[in-house]
Amino acid sequence: MLIVVFSILAPQTFATFGNATTILSTQSVLALLALSALCTLVVGQFDLSLGAQLGLAQVILPGVLSRQEVDLVVGILVAVACTTLVGLLNGLLVAKLKLDSFIVTLGVATILSAVVLWYTDSQTIFQNVPASLVEISTTELWGIPMPIIYLAILTVIVWLVLERTAFGRRMEAVGGSQNAARLSGIDTDRVTVIAFMMGGALAGMAGVLQSSQVGSGNPALGPEFLLPAFAAAFLGATSFRVGRFNVWGTIIAVLTVATGVAGLNLLGVPQWVNPLFNGTALLVAVTATRFLRGAGTTT
């Protein structure tokens, strides 16, 4: 419906192949973070530090490339390793110490924001950043921007893990009922910790992609991706597998929200409409998911 409406309202700018690839490419970062959020939501937990983890990775990568002059692959591994360790910390605090994930990850997010400001000295890192960083996003394969290909590969991997492996079924079981999962012999603590680490790794990859798209490390970037990512995850639970968090529904939700925002921007609406659209989408998604889950339980 959104595509049809905006194609009619802005046929010269919206209904083009270039606009479609631009939307897919620019939304790859948000889609990766939504998949990151999905990993912890599946096990019944929230990770509110994912936006800050994205921000951490997107300053660490250009930082180590320009200051330590390491190889690009090494820099990517360092950035992703840092966010994976943050996920490990979150998982241990939640699973082992039984702390509330909402509060714990909110605190960790605040700490990470401070770390980013310290590491960057509150300045954007752009000097001596090699061109190879930007090439991660600007390179094309068969006319398709590489961010779209990266997203496609990682989406399939996450889908395979969640839907086609025994560990994915354990994650679903833990998210359904920790007590029932524990009584059935599942190590719920281990599953929860790994889920947080998976989320951290994907957030790090999203940060790598973000830094490559802007060609620098901006200490102000990261947290603003959190709300749209959760909106996509909840909105995705209203389709494909109704009432349950799932990969394909999440990706479709990202594209739905992105289509709406892109269409509104092309129509020249004020900037405040974008966060209003995202916030409304999140409220609608959470409400719809709750009622659909209730209906499924009743059935």
Side-chain angles (χ1 to χ4, degrees):
M1 290 177 62
L2 288 172
I3 292 174
V4 171
V5 169
F6 289 122
S7 295
I8 294 173
L9 295 177
Q12 301 299 322
T13 53
F14 183 84
T16 64
F17 177 77
N19 184 51
T21 55
T22 298
I23 291 175
L24 289 170
S25 182
T26 56
Q27 294 304 310
S28 56
V29 173
L30 175 58
L32 282 180
L33 196 67
L35 291 177
S36 174
L38 182 68
C39 293
T40 49
L41 288 172
V42 167
V43 297
Q45 305 291 347
F46 283 87
D47 191 345
L48 300 184
S49 69
L50 293 175
Q53 291 183 47
L54 186 158
L56 178 66
Q58 65 93 28
V59 297
I60 286 181
L61 177 56
V64 296
L65 291 178
S66 61
R67 297 172 182 175
Q68 279 70 49
E69 298 183 351
V70 302
D71 182 75
L72 177 63
V73 175
V74 175
I76 292 174
L77 292 176
V78 170
V80 175
C82 288
T83 56
T84 304
L85 288 175
V86 173
L88 172 61
L89 173 63
N90 287 335
L92 291 174
L93 292 174
V94 172
K96 297 299 184 181
L97 298 185
K98 308 302 178 186
L99 301 179
D100 184 88
S101 63
F102 194 95
I103 298 174
V104 166
T105 56
L106 183 61
V108 170
T110 305
I111 294 173
L112 291 180
S113 298
V115 171
V116 167
L117 292 175
W118 164 76
Y119 183 76
T120 62
D121 196 24
S122 301
Q123 303 293 322
T124 299
I125 301 175
F126 64 91
Q127 293 182 336
N128 301 322
V129 175
S132 58
L133 176 63
V134 178
E135 292 172 356
I136 295 176
S137 293
T138 57
T139 305
E140 294 185 354
L141 182 63
W142 302 312
I144 302 175
M146 286 305 297
I148 300 177
I149 297 176
Y150 301 143
L151 174 62
I153 294 173
L154 290 172
T155 298
V156 171
I157 291 174
V158 175
W159 175 76
L160 288 173
V161 171
L162 294 181
E163 302 291 340
R164 293 293 185 268
T165 67
F167 183 76
R169 291 191 288 274
R170 294 190 187 101
M171 291 176 67
E172 290 273 4
V174 172
S177 172
Q178 278 206 22
N179 290 332
R182 186 180 296 108
L183 291 174
S184 65
I186 297 175
D187 188 343
T188 57
D189 289 352
R190 177 175 174 271
V191 171
T192 300
V193 171
I194 294 177
F196 272 96
M197 292 178 66
M198 289 171 57
L202 286 170
M205 295 175 193
V208 168
L209 199 54
Q210 174 64 23
S211 65
S212 73
Q213 289 183 346
V214 299
S216 61
N218 190 333
L221 293 179
E224 73 274 13
F225 286 94
L226 186 65
L227 175 61
F230 273 96
F234 277 96
L235 186 58
T238 64
S239 59
F240 287 91
R241 299 175 62 189
V242 178
R244 300 174 68 181
F245 297 108
N246 64 92
V247 171
W248 299 118
T250 299
I251 295 299
I252 294 297
V254 170
L255 297 180
T256 301
V257 174
T259 300
V261 171
L264 292 172
N265 287 337
L266 289 175
L267 292 178
V269 298
Q271 281 293 83
W272 57 265
V273 175
N274 289 348
L276 175 63
F277 184 86
N278 287 330
T280 302
L282 178 59
L283 291 176
V284 172
V286 172
T287 303
T289 302
R290 181 176 181 83
F291 278 104
L292 288 170
R293 278 182 169 175
T297 303
T298 303
T299 302

